Amino acid sequence: MSSESTSPVIDTARRAQEAAAELAPSPRTVRDGALLAIADALVARTEEIIAANAEDVAKARAAGTSEAVVDRLTLTPERVAAIASDVRDVVALPDPVGEVVRGSTLPNGLELRQVRVPLGVVGIVYEARPNVTVDAAALCLKSGNAVLLRGSSSAYASNTALVGVLRDAVAGAGLPADVVQLVPGEGRESVRELMRARGLVDVLIPRGGASLIRTVVEESTVPVIETGVGNCHVYVDAAADLDMAVSILLNAKVSRPSVCNAAETLLVHADVAEEFLPMALKALGEVGVTVHGDETVQRFTGMGAPVLPATDEDWETEYLSYDIAVAVVPDLDAAVRHIRRWSSGHSEAIVTGSQAAARRFVQRVDSTAVLVNASTRFTDGGQFGFGAEIGISTQKLHARGPMGLPELTSTKYVVTGDGHVR
Amino acid sequence: MSSESTSPVIDTARRAQEAAAELAPSPRTVRDGALLAIADALVARTEEIIAANAEDVAKARAAGTSEAVVDRLTLTPERVAAIASDVRDVVALPDPVGEVVRGSTLPNGLELRQVRVPLGVVGIVYEARPNVTVDAAALCLKSGNAVLLRGSSSAYASNTALVGVLRDAVAGAGLPADVVQLVPGEGRESVRELMRARGLVDVLIPRGGASLIRTVVEESTVPVIETGVGNCHVYVDAAADLDMAVSILLNAKVSRPSVCNAAETLLVHADVAEEFLPMALKALGEVGVTVHGDETVQRFTGMGAPVLPATDEDWETEYLSYDIAVAVVPDLDAAVRHIRRWSSGHSEAIVTGSQAAARRFVQRVDSTAVLVNASTRFTDGGQFGFGAEIGISTQKLHARGPMGLPELTSTKYVVTGDGHVR
């Protein structure tokens, strides 16, 4: 059921759907060949890519963009080479397409197989970094999907150059160039059209800040896979090894505060609060973290990290900064209730020496990942050994947690008989 | 992130979410015990159920409802006993909850397991038949999910009585009664509220006509699993055994025309059209089927089934009646293009003796089920050996095809270490 309206965005999506139909039955060798051609072309055409990127960088500087953001936007020959190398790594990953997920011969002799197939057309809406353009395209191509890329306007010149290189390489490898397309237009309206292209686009994956993701989730009629918002918790149980707890807390909070698997809230069992909070505040203070604490925690002001009073907003905030909310809970079940109420459902860790506590926490916390005596920072496709990651789903349908290549596929049933009727 | 607004529907959803948190970690024996208690209670309280049902039946008759619909609405002691027996069958099915989908020990020694968990709160929006009330509740309970049931207003008294029986049985078995609830209100507004209860309801499954499903898909912010619309095709290839083709065509069209896996369009390869169309029209005519044919097919008027001229509307219509659209196509690829353009993506069959044709059709048709030399009527959870079915998904995300118990679950990652940090 294809929509009848036309616009540059809808036309793009229609071409993607046609290209997807050609791509889906292509064998792995053809798709891998296209990926290798992409890697070669990125290196060969580095100069052209960097020239386009320089336009974006100049514009960003002129607009007074922070140096951190400018740095993420900037491409260098080394960075382009690294992107190309990542594409080669994708080639080496197993092909998800065609995998027989289950199969049996039915009592009447019909042969039943459930086989992985590409989703079709995948739309990715993302923010500044131009490397996402190539990463996302490579993962979609590997999994047999056409991809519609909607990057941020601040990287428009870079993305246009990169997609040009990708399309040439793909066409040179014998696949339709339209398996990789940039969504035309820089305004909000083009994202809106993409979100309403149900029947042409099979799934939309927003990657970026909470507000982008919320908009897509609320307004899209195309199915969405929600990614990335991580209000992650570390719970220090009564039976915790407190030195281990400090080490996990620090790693979870400050090893990379800007990412979704960083910890944002610390929950401490009341029985160990008197002993653990001074240790935790001292350690957090030494690395420059500000604590937003409940009333109990506020009593420990002056023992290290500055302590501000926490409000409900703190319990639900994904700081992505050197801040952490801290609460003391009367028992494990209260920690579970706190997490159920405030968590975004990404990753929650318990530190405990008690088998029973670990088991109860794992059973009752309903998040993408539940970690026992390990940092929340491990929730990651690379760490989990998936080899690649298109994002971390925090929703329950289709995919939950780090999404690798199989998560970019659907399945179909193939039923073979010799004249079978019911 | 729970919504802060309140209404009877939202309150119901909130109670479901709380009950779901208790239900999810319950062991299989407890959930099976509740299901057996439900089966017993349905039999023991048959009289009360039938009295309530009689109200609905009287109202339906007074409103001039067709006898076929009244029959589907009507409960008898035998039908209640059959419903109870179906619940006992669900008890015997394997428990999907807790299944380890994959697992490994990572290079750093972390133990990684991906484990099936309930989705949480499942909303089912459905039409007349009161047996769906019990079926859906049983499958949700078995898979550890709380269920919100929104049946049609024409079955309101029956559903109220049934849900009362279910809730008493569940509570008697030691689980919160609120794992099974009827959505309050009979109007459209309550469905609308359910569709907007994102964060409280984890998935909505509409079961019913195309317009109900379209409304839910378009308006819901809660993730939806689309079910059931089946514009299914039978393609008779040049290399088909034509007697087999007639047999499959008849079975697919008339063994039960009102169901979603019935065939709605016949496509015939031009090379066999002269020989096959007379056979097909004669056979279809004998069982009272009306043909809506393209120009070539219209030339065969008078050879059996009446032939009306087909329009584009016919190619996309799910008749659910003794009607079939018929087109002649120049080759297999044209059949694939016709299916890609007009199909709802449910089930498509090819009849062919050619291995190459079968392979090409299977590779290029992107539907839930592709059948080779078998009737489309086999796309069914019971036929596939799943033991139970909550509906047939025609979408690509999460579940595609007949949905059994595993499709009512999500997964979570459990990561176990002994102080691991990155």
Side-chain angles (χ1 to χ4, degrees), chain A residues 13-101:
Chain A
R14 246 190 261 282
R15 283 196 300 274
Q17 193 176 47
E18 277 165 37
E22 288 309 303
L23 176 63
S26 68
R28 170 174 182 168
T29 48
V30 172
R31 283 175 279 131
D32 282 355
L35 289 168
L36 291 171
I38 285 173
D40 291 345
L42 287 169
V43 173
R45 293 169 66 177
T46 296
E47 216 170 296
E48 170 187 341
I49 292 164
I50 287 179
N53 180 248
E55 290 177 38
D56 289 332
V57 170
K59 244 204 254 175
R61 283 235 166 78
T65 309
S66 78
E67 272 310 302
V69 172
V70 170
D71 179 60
R72 282 194 291 171
L73 179 62
T74 304
L75 292 174
T76 62
E78 294 68 35
R79 286 183 180 183
V80 173
I83 293 171
S85 162
D86 286 346
V87 174
R88 285 181 216 282
D89 289 345
V90 172
V91 173
L93 294 174
D95 185 3
V97 179
E99 186 197 341
V100 178
V101 176

Side-chain angles (χ1 to χ4, degrees), chain B residues 104-420:
Chain B
S104 62
T105 301
L106 301 179
N108 59 9
L110 274 180
E111 289 167 43
L112 178 71
R113 283 178 296 143
Q114 186 183 15
V115 182
R116 276 199 196 285
V117 296
L119 285 167
V121 177
V122 176
I124 318 259
V125 182
Y126 55 103
E127 289 171 347
R129 300 166 186 253
N131 64 311
V132 173
T133 305
V134 181
D135 275 3
L139 292 175
C140 286
L141 189 50
K142 176 79 185 185
S143 53
N145 294 292
V147 65
L148 293 175
L149 297 156
R150 178 52 169 74
S152 73
S153 51
S154 62
Y156 198 74
S158 313
N159 287 339
T160 304
L162 286 167
V163 168
V165 170
L166 267 53
R167 287 170 57 89
D168 291 349
V170 164
L175 288 171
D178 285 340
V179 300
V180 182
Q181 293 180 87
L182 209 58
V183 175
E186 301 186 43
R188 277 267 156 185
E189 193 46 44
S190 69
V191 181
R192 195 152 288 128
E193 283 188 65
L194 196 60
M195 293 193 295
R196 310 292 298 184
R198 193 177 175 92
L200 292 173
V201 179
D202 291 291
V203 62
L204 266 188
I205 306 177
R207 286 179 58 166
S211 97
L212 167 72
I213 291 168
R214 197 163 40 238
T215 303
V216 174
V217 163
E218 287 282 328
E219 296 187 17
S220 184
T221 57
V222 171
V224 172
I225 298 179
E226 228 178 306
T227 66
V229 176
N231 178 14
C232 302
H233 294 69
V234 173
Y235 164 61
V236 178
D237 185 49
D241 172 329
L242 299 185
D243 290 321
M244 184 196 288
V246 169
S247 153
I248 287 174
L249 169 66
L250 282 184
N251 184 263
K253 180 65 248 180
V254 300
S255 62
R256 207 170 157 201
S258 64
V259 293
C260 62
N261 59 17
E264 307 291 5
T265 300
L266 167 69
L267 300 172
V268 181
H269 192 293
D271 288 359
V272 291
E274 295 292 329
E275 187 179 354
F276 180 67
L277 282 175
M279 294 168 67
L281 292 177
K282 179 165 178 286
L284 291 168
E286 281 167 6
V287 291
V289 173
T290 297
V291 164
H292 305 255
D294 68 6
E295 286 188 11
T296 312
V297 176
Q298 287 165 40
R299 287 201 286 107
F300 293 82
T301 303
M303 309 205 67
V307 181
L308 305 175
T311 65
D312 276 0
E313 212 188 316
D314 288 294
W315 308 132
E316 75 173 0
T317 296
E318 186 190 25
Y319 296 113
L320 301 174
S321 64
Y322 282 80
D323 291 83
I324 192 164
V326 183
V328 173
V329 291
D331 54 28
L332 184 143
D333 284 352
V336 170
R337 278 196 304 274
H338 182 109
I339 290 167
R340 281 194 166 268
R341 170 141 189 220
W342 298 110
S343 172
S344 64
H346 192 298
S347 296
E348 332 294 350
I350 180 174
V351 186
T352 188
S354 156
Q355 175 63 18
R359 183 172 146 91
R360 190 168 178 91
F361 189 83
V362 165
Q363 282 178 334
R364 294 188 171 253
V365 169
D366 185 30
S367 293
T368 287
V370 186
L371 305 104
V372 177
N373 295 332
S375 168
T376 54
R377 294 274 291 110
F378 285 107
T379 305
D380 172 273
Q383 292 291 321
F384 280 7
F386 298 170
E389 179 188 291
I390 193 96
I392 296 180
S393 162
T394 51
Q395 65 175 37
K396 294 187 192 173
L397 286 194
H398 186 70
R400 199 178 193 201
M403 294 172 62
L405 291 168
E407 283 74 23
L408 286 172
T409 66
S410 181
T411 61
K412 72 181 171 197
Y413 287 97
V414 178
V415 185
T416 310
D418 46 20
H420 284 67

Side-chain angles (χ1 to χ4, degrees), chain A residues 104-341:
Chain A
S104 63
T105 301
L106 302 179
N108 60 8
L110 275 179
E111 288 167 44
L112 178 70
R113 282 179 297 143
Q114 186 183 15
V115 183
R116 276 199 196 284
V117 295
L119 286 167
V121 177
V122 176
I124 318 259
V125 182
Y126 56 102
E127 288 171 348
R129 300 166 186 252
N131 64 310
V132 173
T133 305
V134 181
D135 274 4
L139 292 175
C140 287
L141 190 50
K142 176 79 184 185
S143 53
N145 294 292
V147 65
L148 293 175
L149 296 157
R150 179 52 169 77
S152 74
S153 51
S154 62
Y156 198 74
S158 313
N159 288 338
T160 303
L162 286 168
V163 168
V165 170
L166 267 54
R167 287 170 57 88
D168 290 350
V170 164
L175 287 171
D178 285 340
V179 301
V180 182
Q181 291 180 89
L182 209 59
V183 176
E186 302 186 42
R188 276 267 156 185
E189 192 46 45
S190 69
V191 180
R192 194 153 291 128
E193 283 188 65
L194 196 62
M195 293 192 295
R196 310 294 296 184
R198 192 176 176 93
L200 292 173
V201 179
D202 291 291
V203 61
L204 266 188
I205 306 177
R207 287 179 57 166
S211 96
L212 167 71
I213 291 167
R214 196 164 41 240
T215 303
V216 175
V217 163
E218 287 282 327
E219 296 186 17
S220 184
T221 57
V222 171
V224 172
I225 298 179
E226 227 178 309
T227 66
V229 176
N231 178 13
C232 303
H233 294 71
V234 173
Y235 165 62
V236 178
D237 186 49
D241 172 330
L242 299 186
D243 290 321
M244 184 196 289
V246 169
S247 154
I248 286 174
L249 169 66
L250 281 185
N251 183 263
K253 181 65 249 181
V254 301
S255 61
R256 206 169 158 203
S258 64
V259 292
C260 62
N261 58 17
E264 306 292 6
T265 300
L266 166 69
L267 301 172
V268 181
H269 192 293
D271 288 1
V272 291
E274 295 291 329
E275 189 180 354
F276 180 67
L277 283 174
M279 295 166 67
L281 292 177
K282 179 164 178 287
L284 291 168
E286 281 166 6
V287 290
V289 173
T290 297
V291 163
H292 305 255
D294 68 6
E295 287 189 9
T296 312
V297 176
Q298 288 165 39
R299 286 202 287 107
F300 293 82
T301 302
M303 308 204 69
V307 180
L308 305 174
T311 64
D312 276 359
E313 211 188 315
D314 289 294
W315 308 132
E316 73 174 1
T317 296
E318 186 190 25
Y319 296 114
L320 301 173
S321 63
Y322 282 80
D323 291 83
I324 192 164
V326 183
V328 173
V329 291
D331 54 28
L332 184 144
D333 285 351
V336 170
R337 278 195 303 275
H338 183 108
I339 290 168
R340 282 195 166 267
R341 171 141 189 218

